[in-house]
Amino acid sequence: MARAFQTRLAPPYLKQVRLRDDVAIDRARYPFNLPLFRDDDFQLRFDRAITIIVGENGVGKSTLLEGIAAIAGFDQAGGGPGYRPLDHSEALEHNGDRLQDVLRASWLPKVGQGWFFRAESFFSVARYLDRAALDAGALPPDFLSYSHGEGFLRFFEERCARPGIFLFDEPESALSPRRQFAFVKLLRTIAAAGKAQVILATHSPILMATPGAALFSMTRAGIDPIGLHDTDHYRLYREFILDPAGTVDAMSHD
């Protein structure tokens, strides 16, 4: 496991990721064929403790997070440095961890602690943590004894109380709207503590509204800063709240 992370510098610790200019990229292959990497000048700068990335499915949000996770030393299935919750030896798919070969990261300082959370692999990671604790003769955290949403929140609260860098891929997937506000409260606590950096991808306007967070929109044209009210997610939800029947009819009509 990574040694304790101590620094007097405030987050963000990861300052920037950009394409390397000293390696060749085959843009005919995934994930290098994503619109995000169409140009050689791709870069994403972080200037807040919390960065939120939004966008439609398929534009590369999760893939970029996987690449950053790989650079930070996290397994593509989730977990922290040194954790390998899943066996990838027979996996055939090519995931965003391949981006670590073409991305250059700028750190100040380099962080050796944190966590990469993926909703779809949460149960595998939770079981892994239980087994690791039992093997060490300790009580397991037992996150799976709670409801899906409660287990998520308990996991977040326990892990994110530590310094480091934390990556979340659609954490709202198992959270009710009320629980999403509880997660926003946790993000505000993390930012106020000044010891951790968070980068998350989401479809939730509630999470997008986290005070003080940097908000980016990822589209087929690239990635750019955006205001909450300008996101497609906010506009669509607003239309639905104002006219549920009309919006459902318009969006679901052939």
Side-chain angles (χ1 to χ4, degrees):
M1 302 300 171
R3 62 172 181 264
F5 168 64
Q6 295 181 341
T7 180
R8 293 183 178 180
L9 296 176
Y13 308 117
L14 177 61
K15 302 293 186 182
Q16 176 181 267
V17 289
R18 63 177 178 85
L19 282 179
R20 294 174 53 177
D21 54 12
D22 58 343
V23 295
I25 298 176
D26 182 1
R27 287 189 168 87
R29 302 176 60 191
Y30 178 85
F32 314 116
N33 61 353
L34 287 169
L36 189 65
F37 306 115
R38 181 184 297 113
D39 300 321
D40 291 332
D41 60 353
F42 164 78
Q43 62 177 353
L44 178 58
R45 296 180 179 179
F46 305 96
D47 61 3
R48 312 275 183 91
I50 298 175
T51 299
I52 299 174
I53 302 173
V54 306
E56 271 299 331
N57 294 332
V59 296
K61 302 186 307 299
S62 296
T63 302
L64 179 60
L65 273 189
E66 290 172 359
I68 294 175
I71 291 172
F74 305 152
D75 187 75
Q76 64 189 34
Y83 289 88
R84 292 297 179 266
L86 297 180
D87 180 8
H88 302 293
S89 60
E90 297 182 2
L92 299 178
E93 72 274 12
H94 297 294
N95 295 316
D97 59 316
R98 295 176 59 186
L99 291 177
Q100 66 181 316
D101 298 327
V102 301
L103 290 179
R104 189 182 304 280
S106 301
W107 299 84
L108 187 62
K110 178 68 171 66
V111 174
Q113 276 185 208
W115 201 267
F116 178 31
F117 174 83
R118 304 189 67 178
E120 61 267 34
S121 58
F122 173 74
F123 289 100
S124 296
V125 173
R127 292 190 185 97
Y128 176 91
L129 293 175
D130 284 345
R131 289 196 303 268
L134 290 172
D135 291 344
L139 289 175
D142 198 20
F143 294 113
L144 299 182
S145 291
Y146 298 78
S147 72
H148 204 178
E150 289 174 338
F152 274 32
L153 281 176
R154 183 169 176 263
F155 176 84
F156 296 153
E157 291 167 352
E158 192 273 337
R159 290 288 153 176
C160 295
R162 310 173 185 184
I165 182 168
F166 296 88
L167 311 173
F168 294 97
D169 190 9
E170 299 182 12
E172 75 277 8
S173 60
L175 300 177
S176 68
R178 186 173 295 275
R179 294 293 187 184
Q180 290 180 41
F181 282 111
F183 185 66
V184 171
K185 180 180 179 180
L186 175 61
L187 293 177
R188 299 186 74 174
T189 299
I190 292 172
K195 296 181 180 179
Q197 178 178 3
V198 173
I199 304 172
L200 69 88
T202 184
H203 293 294
S204 167
I206 294 175
L207 302 192
M208 295 176 200
T210 300
L215 186 61
F216 287 90
S217 173
M218 186 181 293
T219 67
R220 298 194 180 280
I223 184 167
D224 296 287
I226 194 171
L228 171 64
H229 293 181
D230 294 324
T231 63
D232 291 338
H233 304 72
Y234 176 88
R235 290 176 173 175
L236 182 57
Y237 272 69
R238 184 176 185 275
E239 289 179 11
F240 173 76
I241 294 298
L242 294 176
D243 181 14
T247 303
V248 168
D249 184 63
M251 297 299 294
S252 61
H253 195 275
D254 290 336

